[in-house]
Amino acid sequence: MSSKDKKKWRSTTILTVRHGGKVAIGGDGQVTHGDTVMKSDTRKIRKILDGQIVCGFAGSTADAFSLLERFEVKARDYPGNMPRAATELARDWRTDRVLRKLEALIIVVNTEHSLLITGQGDVVVPSDGVIGIGSGGNYATAAARALVRHSDLSASEIVKNSLGIASEIDIYTNNNIIVEELECTN
């Protein structure tokens, strides 16, 4: 079987929205292998540091858990400085020979910051408070931006509705949605 013919694992859509004094992050529960849904209720949103930081991941689950564990260590090493912890993880992820092969994207949020961390060494801060990743990330992001601009919905409601819209478009996203929310300090 050529690499082109191999079935690909696909999992999830994660979205975060910072709006109305709150930050919400949510994800669907679907994991797909090729054209088969393997699981519909996977939890891809995790709280760390006693709920001070909420993380969401897309990509390989095992890779994401490895990266989340490393991020939690960095967050403990740089207490109160989530951007520094994210930058240190991104640097390690990009330069370490083993970590470099991990395939996942991570969104981390706390009361002050929303960040996307990638394996290319990027730490992205959204200009509008909206980040979407995963197979339906672009659909969810577009829906969230429209709802932020043209509705009175809360951050949690925007995340839930936007992920629902993504699930209607993207076959790798379902409507088994989990949303967590934190109060913003800025």
Side-chain angles (χ1 to χ4, degrees), residues 17 19 26-28 32 34 37 39 66 71 78 87 93-94 103 115 119 129 135 138 140 160 162-163 175 184:
V17 173
H19 178 70
D28 75 303
T32 309
V37 175
K39 189 168 180 178
S66 176
F71 176 74
Y78 302 99
T87 302
W93 191 356
R94 182 177 49 82
E103 295 183 13
L115 306 172
S135 59
N138 290 336
K160 186 169 183 155
S162 299
L163 287 169
N175 63 358
C184 294

Side-chain angles (χ1 to χ4, degrees), residues 100-128:
R100 198 176 319 150
K101 296 179 186 194
L102 299 182
E103 295 183 13
L105 292 171
I106 300 173
I107 294 174
V108 295
V109 301
N110 67 7
T111 59
E112 297 178 74
H113 304 283
S114 298
L115 306 172
L116 167 64
I117 309 169
T118 76
Q120 286 76 44
D122 299 317
V123 176
V124 179
V125 178
S127 57
D128 62 357

Side-chain angles (χ1 to χ4, degrees), residues 39-162:
K39 189 168 180 178
S40 64
D41 61 351
T42 300
R43 186 171 174 89
K44 300 164 197 158
I45 303 294
R46 299 275 189 261
K47 292 181 178 180
I48 62 172
L49 298 180
D50 299 320
Q52 295 176 33
I53 297 174
V54 185
C55 307
F57 61 87
S60 166
T61 303
D63 290 356
F65 278 125
S66 176
L67 291 164
L68 287 176
E69 287 172 5
R70 290 173 186 274
F71 176 74
E72 187 168 8
V73 169
K74 298 291 185 188
R76 288 184 196 284
D77 289 345
Y78 302 99
N81 194 348
M82 192 174 78
R84 175 74 188 271
T87 302
E88 292 297 321
L89 174 65
R91 182 184 53 80
D92 290 352
W93 191 356
R94 182 177 49 82
T95 59
D96 184 276
R97 287 176 34 173
V98 174
L99 291 179
R100 198 176 319 150
K101 296 179 186 194
L102 299 182
E103 295 183 13
L105 292 171
I106 300 173
I107 294 174
V108 295
V109 301
N110 67 7
T111 59
E112 297 178 74
H113 304 283
S114 298
L115 306 172
L116 167 64
I117 309 169
T118 76
Q120 286 76 44
D122 299 317
V123 176
V124 179
V125 178
S127 57
D128 62 357
V130 178
I131 308 172
I133 59 173
S135 59
N138 290 336
Y139 305 121
T141 298
R145 287 181 175 153
L147 290 172
V148 165
R149 292 176 188 152
H150 303 289
S151 78
D152 295 324
L153 297 174
S154 69
S156 288
E157 291 169 324
I158 291 170
V159 167
K160 186 169 183 155
N161 282 288
S162 299

